[in-house]
Amino acid sequence: LCILLLISLSVAIDLEVQVYYNGNPQPNSMYLRGNNLGLNWDTGILLQPSPDTNFLWTTTLSYNSSQVGTLVEMKPLKGDVSWSIGANFQVRLPKTSSTTEFYPWFYSRAGEYTVIGSLFSPQLNNSRDIIVYTPPSYYENTLKTMTNVLVMHDGQNLFNASTSFGGIAWNCDDTINQLVVEGLMEEVLIIGAYNTPDRLDEYTYIYDPCYTTNLRGECQGGGGKGDLYLDFLIENVVPYVVDSGYRIETGRENMGILGSSLGGLISCYGAWTRSSAYSKGGCMSSSFWWDKQNFNKDILVNYPVPHGETIYLDSGDCCPEPYSDDRYQTEAVRNSMEALGFELNKDLFYYLDKGGQHNEYYWGRRFDIPMQDLYPITDSPTSPQ
């Protein structure tokens, strides 16, 4: 038995590290530094250019079975001088010889946003602009495909103050740029769908017979086109972005949906009821009061609990009820989700913005919180050799 154990410990397991980079100017050499497997943070090891594949550098690191499961951090450098930007690459050592791929970048510290066109919705019989934000690496290392894609509502409010409600934008690009460069979140590509005059109907999934009252105190009803809007996002908006040439993965594990106010309501509803399309839902200052708190009292009660879903909830607490930025309705939803098996700070996140109000300024000011909760640095995948 002891001999077998010694043999198993002595058998080498190989990890081939593949670094892909096609930015300009091309490096004369590529190095790798790290914290284990013979790597250190002071001097890198020289990677070898692939004789068969352009823009690829490789090295093989070896370990034994006692190191399986160890988390190793690494970072490529150009010429062992210029560090790649963003977080360290993390690899959890697998049981068998494997390959892992890194897609670094070295120059760009800011992403870009572009209105890519106006898109007609056959479901809603209207049109709206679609805006796309690409993170810092996107145009520098075009070998990299974006594996995190976030669909957001109220697209005109996300980046540009000149198009935003009240002249105040969330500045999502500035927030993500900073967090990515500082290594505090993974890169994410945002697809923003502008709202329309039918915003209230499109962002609510059920008719509310008394969502407000007129000057005579009579109930005014509305809403209920939310499922058509969600169909539009998945069936038309995301394919439109793909057809426009953007390099994105659109599997369930890649997709998230996030918004605020009624946009938060439709995001939570979409993530909960369409978990085959989304694995993440961000719900900021959500209008959970809609139709007598229907989301908490009906949707969470009568729809199957989604598995493998991560939900982010928040609100401010600026004012007394009923103008408290939906704090108490949000806390009720949080409590219900916990009772259904979600675990706080694992697959359910909640943040209370002390003094936070129900407007673009406060949503933009705390946008870093959902980004870090929904897109933390994760282990680089490995594939068996």
Side-chain angles (χ1 to χ4, degrees):
L1 183 61
C2 292
I3 294 174
L4 291 175
L5 178 60
L6 289 172
I7 292 174
S8 67
L9 290 175
S10 64
V11 173
I13 305 171
D14 291 335
L15 177 70
E16 183 181 2
V17 178
Q18 299 181 343
V19 176
Y20 291 86
Y21 179 72
N22 69 345
N24 287 312
Q26 271 289 291
N28 294 321
S29 59
M30 188 79 74
Y31 285 75
L32 188 69
R33 298 190 194 183
N35 68 348
N36 207 325
L37 306 185
L39 301 174
N40 65 75
W41 293 119
D42 298 319
T43 305
I45 63 170
L46 178 65
L47 305 183
Q48 298 302 313
S50 169
D52 305 314
T53 305
N54 291 332
F55 313 119
L56 170 61
W57 292 261
T58 69
T59 191
T60 298
L61 308 173
S62 298
Y63 58 98
N64 61 48
S65 60
S66 69
Q67 296 170 284
V68 169
T70 300
L71 186 66
V72 180
E73 296 189 24
M74 311 178 208
K75 203 157 199 176
L77 294 86
K78 293 176 64 174
D80 208 22
V81 174
S82 300
W83 293 83
S84 56
I85 296 173
N88 297 337
F89 293 93
Q90 300 179 173
V91 179
R92 197 167 298 275
L93 299 180
K95 295 180 180 180
T96 60
S97 293
S98 301
T99 299
T100 189
E101 298 177 356
F102 299 162
Y103 293 84
W105 77 102
F106 299 89
Y107 300 107
S108 176
R109 294 178 175 270
E112 302 178 14
Y113 63 85
T114 305
V115 175
I116 64 172
S118 179
L119 182 64
F120 176 74
S121 168
Q123 301 87 347
L124 299 163
N125 195 33
N126 58 20
S127 298
R128 75 200 67 215
D129 284 346
I130 306 299
I131 191 167
V132 173
Y133 161 80
T134 51
S137 77
Y138 188 83
Y139 289 108
E140 180 181 334
N141 189 354
T142 59
L143 299 176
K144 181 180 180 180
T145 298
M146 294 296 121
T147 56
N148 295 316
V149 179
L150 180 62
V151 177
M152 295 184 67
H153 323 290
D154 297 311
Q156 61 263 58
N157 298 336
L158 302 180
F159 309 106
N160 189 342
S162 70
T163 62
S164 296
F165 179 77
I168 298 176
W170 289 32
N171 297 319
C172 297
D173 51 334
D174 292 340
T175 298
I176 294 175
N177 292 341
Q178 181 176 347
L179 291 174
V180 165
V181 168
E182 293 178 356
L184 298 177
M185 68 170 286
E186 294 191 342
E187 289 195 302
V188 58
L189 181 143
I190 291 176
I191 301 172
Y194 277 39
N195 65 39
T196 73
D198 294 328
R199 180 181 187 275
L200 182 140
D201 287 339
E202 294 176 356
Y203 289 8
T204 54
Y205 57 88
I206 191 171
Y207 180 81
D208 185 339
C210 193
Y211 76 88
T212 190
T213 57
N214 60 23
L215 294 176
R216 297 186 297 274
E218 299 168 337
C219 281
Q220 300 292 302
K225 295 183 180 178
D227 279 300
L228 294 176
Y229 172 70
L230 291 172
D231 289 345
F232 169 60
L233 294 179
I234 289 299
E235 296 173 7
N236 301 92
V237 174
V238 174
Y240 175 59
V241 173
V242 173
D243 291 344
S244 297
Y246 285 90
R247 308 184 310 274
I248 60 174
E249 297 288 343
T250 60
R252 173 197 183 271
E253 66 278 9
N254 308 112
M255 300 296 296
I257 184 169
L258 184 147
S260 64
S261 191
L262 288 174
L265 175 68
I266 199 65
S267 293
C268 254
Y269 174 76
W272 196 267
T273 63
R274 298 174 182 235
S275 59
S276 62
Y278 301 105
S279 61
K280 304 175 190 291
C283 319
M284 303 179 71
S285 298
S286 303
S287 301
F288 290 131
W289 54 266
W290 185 263
D291 193 31
K292 299 179 180 179
Q293 300 188 54
N294 176 273
F295 182 80
N296 191 30
K297 296 179 179 179
D298 180 19
I299 302 303
L300 295 186
V301 172
N302 294 316
Y303 276 75
V305 178
H307 297 289
E309 198 83 13
T310 301
I311 301 291
Y312 171 88
L313 307 170
D314 76 16
S315 74
D317 70 346
C318 68
C319 315
E321 279 288 319
Y323 306 107
S324 60
D325 195 34
D326 307 299
R327 171 186 176 178
Y328 300 105
Q329 297 92 335
T330 299
E331 289 177 346
V333 168
R334 176 202 63 192
N335 295 342
S336 295
M337 289 184 176
E338 284 191 275
L340 291 169
F342 280 75
E343 186 176 340
L344 205 59
N345 298 320
K346 183 177 180 182
D347 54 6
L348 175 63
F349 296 89
Y350 170 74
Y351 178 73
L352 178 64
D353 186 2
K354 292 288 188 179
Q357 300 177 27
H358 197 85
N359 60 49
E360 317 302 326
Y361 169 77
Y362 285 92
W363 297 323
R365 188 181 73 168
R366 66 174 184 261
F367 187 63
D368 63 305
I369 307 297
M371 289 301 93
Q372 291 179 86
D373 285 341
L374 294 174
Y375 297 103
I377 304 303
T378 58
D379 298 348
S380 297
T382 58
S383 55
Q385 291 181 350

